[in-house]
């Protein structure tokens, strides 16, 4: 039986014209490269330096926990994720009612806009801030206030968040401010003192969302994260993820820590089973393996310094980073550079979509991958 009519009405139908106003303004995610196709083409012999994954892989304890959880996948996961939340509450020294779990922190960043912003509200974020911030704004149909970033030649945070300008950009209709600290794709950060000043200038009826996806990698002096401010600023929301330093990107687990009333609102819209039972078990086990995390962090810091040095000595401008990637500012169209590496099986992240078409973002890979990048440079 063929339900497709053979006249032209099938072709002529366009559900795009039926999309609601917010969705009509959106575009589907552009993954940059078709990685499954590339793996097939190069017989997996590619250096994947485009997605900020931890090449050390997950904790062996997380792998063991995943194996054990597999037999339980015929059951629905715990909709409250209680075991993981209990572990997170102990880890961060906060109450259970202050944590919400997400299918990656990406989901939570979007949910926050959906829960708290309407089309008459504005949302503030930085020019080269994380790509999900403008998408979350559009999902809510809210007004985007994109604040110019610090200059390319700024001494400590080129292309970074200009938090003073962001504070000024907040209007009476502003409902959310998103910052990423450290930020992706720039790798830049602002220190505790700057965050304290910024948080103090954000009115209480504006939610300040601090995305700390790279928080576990941070070792710069004077940078200890936003959670310590939570008691003084009930409007502060911190998001974290198991995708980066915990090396569980494929499982999709993130969380937010906020005032209980924020969590209560998010829980209304959160899909009840958004984090699957394999992911819940793995994240809990990964959190319990402090040694593996410390190893990833130390290794990343050393390897990042090594790679940055090697690139600098070849004449490249490498921006400061507190993450597991570096942004390289070529000062000219980056497309030929990317293509040159691509043809040699080295995948980096193009930045044109961010308006940084003269830069590339390079994740810290294994030593073999990083060496291969260096050998492949034009
Ligand atoms: C990777 C990343 C995230 C999202 O990670 P999830 O995999 O969705 O948890 C959030 N913020 C920033 C800045 C990131 O780079």
């Amino acid at each position: 039986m063929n339900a497709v009519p053979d006249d032209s009405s099938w072709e002529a139908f366009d559900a795009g014209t039926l999309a609601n106003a917010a969705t009509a303004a959106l575009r589907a995610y552009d993954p940059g490269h078709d990685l499954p196709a590339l793996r097939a083409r190069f017989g997996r012999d590619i250096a994947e330096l485009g997605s900020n994954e931890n090449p050390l892989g997950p904790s062996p304890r997380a792998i063991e926990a995943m194996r054990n959880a597999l037999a339980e996948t015929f059951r629905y996961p715990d909709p409250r994720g209680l075991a993981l939340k209990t572990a997170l509450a102990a880890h961060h020294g906060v109450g259970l009612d202050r944590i919400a779990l997400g299918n990656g922190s990406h989901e939570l960043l979007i949910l926050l806009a959906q829960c708290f912003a309407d089309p008459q509200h504005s949302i503030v974020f930085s020019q080269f801030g994380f790509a999900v911030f403008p998408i979350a704004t559009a999902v809510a149909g809210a007004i985007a206030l994109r604040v110019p970033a610090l200059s390319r030649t700024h001494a400590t945070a080129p292309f970074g968040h200009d938090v003073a300008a962001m504070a000024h950009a907040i209007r009476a209709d502003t409902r959310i401010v998103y910052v990423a600290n450290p930020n992706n794709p720039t790798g830049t950060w602002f220190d505790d003192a700057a965050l304290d000043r910024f948080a103090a200038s954000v009115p209480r009826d504006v939610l300040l969302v601090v995305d700390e996806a790279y928080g576990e990698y941070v070792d710069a002096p004077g940078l200890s994260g936003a959670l310590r401010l939570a008691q003084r600023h009930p409007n502060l929301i911190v998001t974290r993820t198991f995708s980066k330093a915990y090396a569980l990107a494929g499982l999709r687990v993130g969380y937010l820590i906020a005032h209980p009333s924020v969590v209560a609102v998010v829980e209304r819209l959160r899909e009840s089973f958004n984090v699957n039972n394999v992911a819940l078990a793995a994240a809990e086990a990964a959190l319990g393996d402090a040694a593996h995390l410390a190893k990833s962090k130390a290794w990343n810091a050393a390897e990042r310094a090594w790679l940055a040095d090697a690139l600098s000595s070849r004449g490249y401008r490498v921006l400061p980073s507190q993450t597991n990637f570096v942004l390289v500012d070529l000062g000219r169209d980056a497309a030929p550079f990317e293509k040159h590496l691509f043809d040699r099986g080295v995948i980096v992240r193009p930045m044109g979509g961010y308006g940084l078409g003269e830069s590339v973002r390079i994740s810290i890979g294994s030593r073999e991958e990083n060496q291969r990048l260096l050998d492949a440079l034009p």
Side-chain angles (χ1 to χ4, degrees):
M1 200 182 84
N2 187 356
V4 182
D6 59 3
D7 60 36
S8 63
S9 67
W10 172 271
E11 300 281 313
F13 179 74
D14 179 11
T17 62
L18 307 178
N20 64 31
T23 311
L26 288 167
R27 265 178 299 156
Y29 177 66
D30 174 6
H33 296 292
D34 182 354
L35 286 168
L38 283 173
R39 288 173 197 137
R41 175 178 147 199
F42 286 96
R44 294 199 77 91
D45 183 27
I46 50 175
E48 296 190 29
L49 304 177
S51 298
N52 302 344
E53 295 143 346
N54 175 356
L56 263 55
S59 154
R61 290 206 224 166
I63 293 172
E64 176 70 14
M66 286 187 255
R67 270 205 198 94
N68 294 336
L70 287 180
E72 293 303 311
T73 48
F74 72 102
R75 299 213 184 272
Y76 280 97
D78 173 8
R80 291 184 302 160
L82 206 56
L84 175 57
K85 281 205 285 195
T86 302
L88 285 168
H91 181 78
H92 289 292
V94 299
L96 266 184
D97 59 351
R98 295 186 50 196
I99 302 171
L101 301 179
N103 192 261
S105 55
H106 184 141
E107 181 188 37
L108 294 168
L109 294 168
I110 303 271
L111 266 177
L112 286 168
Q114 288 180 305
C115 286
F116 290 101
D118 280 313
Q120 72 269 24
H121 293 132
S122 64
I123 295 182
V124 172
F125 52 86
S126 178
Q127 183 181 7
F128 303 124
F130 184 45
V132 171
F133 304 159
I135 295 170
T137 306
V139 166
I143 302 156
L145 299 179
R146 190 164 167 263
V147 179
L150 295 172
S151 77
R152 170 183 226 146
T153 53
H154 190 273
T156 54
F159 301 127
H161 288 31
D162 184 344
V163 280
M166 292 180 80
H168 281 294
I170 294 170
R171 317 190 301 206
D173 64 7
T174 300
R175 199 31 88 67
I176 298 176
V177 178
Y178 286 112
V179 294
N181 198 30
N183 183 46
N184 172 16
T186 58
T188 53
W189 67 98
F190 47 91
D191 64 12
D192 292 345
L195 177 66
D196 293 3
R197 279 195 303 277
F198 183 54
S201 71
V202 176
R204 273 209 169 189
D205 59 356
V206 176
L207 299 175
L208 171 55
V209 180
V210 184
D211 174 347
E212 295 186 340
Y214 301 93
E216 295 83 7
Y217 281 124
V218 161
D219 58 10
L223 181 56
S224 53
L227 263 182
R228 72 202 154 74
L229 292 183
Q231 283 310 327
R232 264 187 293 145
H233 300 282
N235 55 331
L236 177 79
I237 301 168
V238 178
T239 64
R240 292 263 182 144
T241 182
F242 283 92
S243 298
K244 305 288 159 62
Y246 288 106
L248 294 172
L251 286 180
R252 318 302 305 124
V253 199
Y255 58 99
L256 64 75
I257 300 179
H259 190 272
S261 65
V262 170
V263 171
V265 172
V266 169
E267 285 297 312
R268 296 177 196 163
L269 204 57
R270 182 184 67 84
E271 193 266 303
S272 346
F273 304 107
N274 62 337
V275 185
N276 69 73
N277 48 17
V278 177
L280 287 170
E284 187 187 348
L287 193 67
D289 193 347
H292 188 76
L293 180 69
K295 186 173 143 197
S296 291
K297 177 176 171 168
W299 180 85
N300 180 69
E303 192 68 13
R304 185 182 62 212
W306 179 83
L307 183 64
D309 268 2
L311 287 166
S312 302
S313 70
R314 285 163 174 79
Y316 290 96
R317 178 173 189 242
V318 181
L319 270 50
S321 171
Q322 277 286 292
T323 64
N324 65 343
F325 61 85
V326 288
L327 192 73
V328 178
D329 175 17
L330 299 173
R332 60 189 142 78
D333 178 20
F337 177 85
E338 285 153 27
K339 169 90 171 58
H340 179 93
L341 295 179
F342 182 86
D343 290 341
R344 287 155 183 77
V346 178
I347 314 301
V348 298
R349 192 76 159 96
M351 288 284 106
Y354 271 95
L356 288 167
E358 300 193 339
S359 297
V360 286
R361 195 191 67 194
I362 303 176
S363 306
I364 310 304
S366 65
R367 174 55 68 92
E368 295 70 37
E369 290 174 312
N370 300 332
Q371 187 61 55
R372 182 162 167 190
L373 163 82
L374 295 174
D375 295 343
L377 288 171

